[in-house]
Amino acid sequence: MNLFISDAVASADGQTQGNPYSLIIMLVVFGLIFYFMILRPQQKRAKEHKKLMDSISKGDEVLTTGGLIGRVTKVSETGYIVVALNDTNEVTIKRDFVAAVLPKGTMKSI
């Protein structure tokens, strides 16, 4: 009967000793990979976006996350800006929803 018992099942009964530090080392390696592949680039993008938000001033041409292009006519301290889409339409948006500051003259060229 012992011929039919595989080695894996037979070794499950005995105590197997492994390196106790291998699990800790593996977790540290996975943690570093997670940090450098996901967290660090996301923090870098957030920092650049905050820098962009702080640099918005009156007269800048901006692109919103909704796809609207306009010129900033008013910047408030509460975090909102007024964007003129054309001569007659103005939209008030939160400063966080600006995707990019466009070069001067972009609206005229479109």
Side-chain angles (χ1 to χ4, degrees), residues 2 10 25 28 33 35 48 60 82 87 90 93 98-100 102 110:
N2 288 340
I25 292 171
V28 168
I33 290 171
Y35 175 76
E48 289 174 1
D60 287 344
V82 177
D87 295 334
E90 288 187 344
I93 63 169
V98 172
L102 302 173
I110 293 178

Side-chain angles (χ1 to χ4, degrees), residues 21-37:
Y21 298 112
S22 65
L23 179 64
I24 294 171
I25 292 171
M26 190 176 3
L27 288 174
V28 168
V29 168
F30 282 132
L32 288 173
I33 290 171
F34 181 77
Y35 175 76
F36 284 108
M37 296 292 285

Side-chain angles (χ1 to χ4, degrees), residues 30-82:
F30 282 132
L32 288 173
I33 290 171
F34 181 77
Y35 175 76
F36 284 108
M37 296 292 285
I38 296 172
L39 290 179
R40 189 165 182 242
Q42 184 178 4
Q43 290 173 346
K44 188 176 180 181
R45 279 192 301 271
K47 188 177 183 181
E48 289 174 1
H49 191 257
K50 176 142 177 60
K51 184 178 175 183
L52 174 73
M53 296 303 104
D54 293 338
S55 70
I56 294 175
S57 63
K58 184 178 177 181
D60 287 344
E61 294 180 5
V62 295
L63 171 68
T64 66
T65 55
L68 300 175
I69 296 176
R71 180 172 284 113
V72 177
T73 58
K74 182 180 175 186
V75 178
S76 69
E77 297 298 321
T78 60
Y80 290 92
I81 59 174
V82 177

